[in-house]
Amino acid sequence: MIRYFTTSVILLLVFILGSSSAQVSRNFLDFQTKREHLLAYLVRQQLAANHFSHKEFDDSLSRAAFTLYVKQLDSQKRFLLAEDVRALEKYARLIDDEMISGYIEFPRASKKLLERRVGEVQKMFLEIMDKGFDFSQQEDLETDPEKLVYCRNQDELYERWRKILKYQVLWRYLDLQEAAQKKPMPEKRTVESTKALPAGQIDKQLLEEATEKIRVSTRQLFDRLLTVGEQDYLDRYFDAVCRAFDPHTNYLPPEENEDFQISMKGSLEGIGATLREEDGFIKVVSIVPGSPAFREGQLHAEDIILKVAEGDAEPVDVTDARLRDAVRLIRGKKGTSVKLTVRRPEGTELVIAIIRDVVQIEETFVKATVMEPVDGQKGRFGYLKIPTFYRDFSEEGQEDGVRNSTDDTRKALQELARQKIDGIVVDLRNNGGGSLVDAVQIAGLFIPQGPIVQVKNSNGELDILRDKDSAVYYDGPVVVLVNRFSASASEILAGALQDYRRAVVLGSERTHGKGTVQTIINLNRALTGGELERYKPLGAMKITIQKFYRISGQSTQMEGVVPDIVLPDPLGYLKSGERYAEYALAWDSVSRAEYKPWSLHPEVVESLRAHSRKRLSADPRYLRIAEQASHNENRSQKSRYPLVPDGLRRELDELKALREEAAVEPEDSEGKAADPASWKKDLVDDFTVTEAVRILGDLLDFEKELIQPRQEVAGTVSPS
């Protein structure tokens, strides 16, 4: 339990706010300045006292916070010049000093500078749009900001914006042209105007419509950027300081903290996607099972949301937007439509229409079924899907009748056992975690008593969480499915069953690698009355306080869980996961816990791996997925787009074909159909599930003693 604020801290805050006039007279410290002093102190104090890493507030931390802040300030390098970034460099070693003194200048300086450049670009925009574009000129646009450098002068900035606007107008034109061709007889348009024009020709009416739409959306972008308040810059500043400790540590301003609490309760009507603000972009972290986005099936983790439109209204550009502003646009009443313009990791851009709704709770729960044999195999195999590790820790949630993932998994295993299955597939793909209690208890359903995970706190103390129930609810062969989006509690369960040699883990190259625990600290707890009350609300902080370690001693942080058998991954090229996150905590290890593994020997796993490789080398679906993975990787490296109609159309058609091809061979069946019962049928077409069943069949072919638990393990309690 974290001790948030002691009496001495409160007295110190009163001193800071009421009598720090040694440097500045009390009259000069207006309300806002005092509030900044207060926030700077609280953020620094909580990070120093509670963060797992105990990083120092020094020049190294200052440089990290500076880099993070500047990156989100102008994420696409379309406003600031190289000289501007050099001018801000003086703050790169001053952020730690600002946080200690409470006198913060950097956010104000950056606000002033960015607003001046936005105003200058706004004038360029008007001139560029009035001149129009020459679509016969052979040129291209680099769309990956990581490959761009800041412009050296106004002329380079003008040229960059000319190409940006030309691309946007052309993209919108082609989109309108495709939509017109799909309509048999659009209003106010002739039959000839809806036909595809010969190469090199432009439909002037469509071009004017596209140009006007880009005028409107770009003006909205400028208006939004010029109305961002000083407090927003300050909030991002504090958040950058937090993220310099690790990517899961954040400052949550009052509004974002309120949204976070609402989303944790699951009562928010919207699309059901977990989002984060990353380097100026709004990125999808995960899709909530049973949500509208889940049921629609096209929005995925790692997608970047570029624009948001209410129904058929013109889209609003949300690049460089605050997360709360983007969420405000996406959120809406049940039954209404929101359209998201999304950029996929491989470069595909598409518009996804989602009908807002509430989460269908049934889709979030554990579900199970008995599958049909594959390729004429003998045996009956069960399938168990755990979408998330759910548990309601509120007082209401402790009442009888409130479901949790452990009880539901236990019941599912008992039902499958009654149907005399010969093996079971446990699906943890896309499971981003949840209740640690349930991850430990579910692991215990497959083994006798023993350690499941080790947890180290910021003081270096190591605690071992154990399964204390000697009962084993399923003792047959198990294959666990994971992918790059299996994280946190999923990695604990998969890692424990792998370390116990209790299951064969199957999936993409490695899991996400989130091996840390966070807690929410409400900063308002510091304000206990009197003068301090008027500074509410201060928001909250999400701080990393613990780290997970497998019972083998290896951390799941960064490295995740490496499957025993690796399958091709169409998204294998993605730099996704903890090891690619800036300033992530490092991998390390602790002592091995005392436990006795089952008798699924390493040589058996190696034989299973060899059988799988031989089988997959002749499987047409495997070859298609491997080819798709290679194609995706090559395509993801291509970020320059031609700025002529025919050239851009070919690129868009290629991306569309790639997207449609990817939809033919889904990794799993989640969210692909509206019919709640269809998931059972879709398992037949799920390549990974099919291979898991084949591996279970291989296990049955081995001698029985190789897949049964050793008798001496039953009832054993690992020593404390």
Side-chain angles (χ1 to χ4, degrees), residues 1-6 9-10 13 35 38-39 42-43 45-47 50 250-258 260-261 265 518-528 532-533 535-543 545:
M1 184 88 180
I2 292 178
R3 296 177 61 193
Y4 293 96
F5 301 98
T6 64
V9 171
I10 300 299
L13 291 177
R35 188 176 183 277
L38 175 59
L39 267 174
L42 292 177
V43 169
Q45 188 267 343
Q46 288 301 311
L47 289 170
N50 295 314
N250 302 98
Y251 169 65
L252 303 173
E255 284 188 36
E256 288 187 17
N257 181 44
E258 182 181 351
F260 180 82
Q261 297 300 332
K265 294 176 183 177
Q518 288 72 40
T519 190
I520 300 295
I521 298 177
N522 188 341
L523 296 179
N524 290 334
R525 295 192 181 200
L527 314 183
T528 59
L532 295 177
E533 287 287 334
Y535 296 103
K536 288 183 178 180
L538 292 177
M541 293 176 66
K542 180 159 66 79
I543 296 184
I545 58 169

Side-chain angles (χ1 to χ4, degrees), residues 110-246:
S110 64
K111 178 180 187 294
K112 184 178 179 180
L113 185 55
L114 184 63
E115 285 181 345
R116 178 158 64 90
R117 292 306 186 199
V118 171
E120 292 169 355
V121 169
Q122 199 170 20
K123 295 176 182 177
M124 294 180 187
F125 158 72
L126 295 173
E127 181 180 340
I128 292 168
M129 296 302 285
D130 288 343
K131 282 185 177 180
F133 307 100
D134 178 5
F135 292 109
S136 65
Q137 182 181 355
Q138 297 290 331
E139 56 184 351
D140 56 28
L141 172 71
E142 177 58 67
T143 60
D144 185 354
E146 293 295 324
K147 298 178 182 178
L148 295 172
V149 296
Y150 291 101
C151 295
R152 292 174 296 180
N153 51 49
Q154 294 280 353
D155 290 340
E156 286 189 5
L157 193 61
Y158 182 96
E159 184 65 9
R160 180 165 294 179
W161 268 94
R162 183 188 66 79
K163 287 187 175 184
I164 288 173
L165 292 168
K166 182 178 179 181
Y167 171 77
Q168 291 180 347
V169 169
L170 185 54
W171 196 91
R172 198 74 170 97
Y173 168 81
L174 294 174
D175 184 53
L176 290 171
Q177 187 183 60
E178 182 179 3
Q181 291 167 9
K182 290 179 180 178
K183 296 180 180 179
M185 185 65 72
E187 294 182 9
K188 301 181 181 180
R189 299 192 64 78
T190 64
V191 174
E192 284 72 20
S193 68
T194 66
K195 296 179 180 178
L197 292 169
Q201 292 190 28
I202 295 289
D203 184 321
K204 292 183 179 180
Q205 186 175 344
L206 279 182
L207 180 60
E208 289 177 3
E209 186 178 348
T211 302
E212 183 57 31
K213 289 181 180 296
I214 298 305
R215 280 184 189 272
V216 171
S217 63
T218 308
R219 283 171 182 158
Q220 291 174 338
L221 171 65
F222 293 141
D223 290 345
R224 175 170 56 77
L225 292 175
L226 291 172
T227 55
V228 175
E230 191 173 277
Q231 187 60 50
D232 286 304
Y233 284 85
L234 190 67
D235 292 342
R236 282 184 166 181
Y237 173 88
F238 286 132
D239 188 56
V241 171
C242 290
R243 288 189 292 127
F245 276 74
D246 86 295

Side-chain angles (χ1 to χ4, degrees), residues 269-290:
E269 289 188 357
I271 65 170
T274 303
L275 310 176
R276 75 165 172 262
E277 187 182 335
E278 183 177 289
D279 300 334
F281 291 103
I282 305 300
K283 179 175 281 190
V284 179
V285 178
S286 61
I287 304 298
V288 179

Side-chain angles (χ1 to χ4, degrees), residues 581-595:
E582 292 182 289
Y583 310 110
L585 296 186
W587 178 93
D588 64 344
S589 61
V590 295
S591 299
R592 179 184 186 273
E594 293 189 38
Y595 65 97

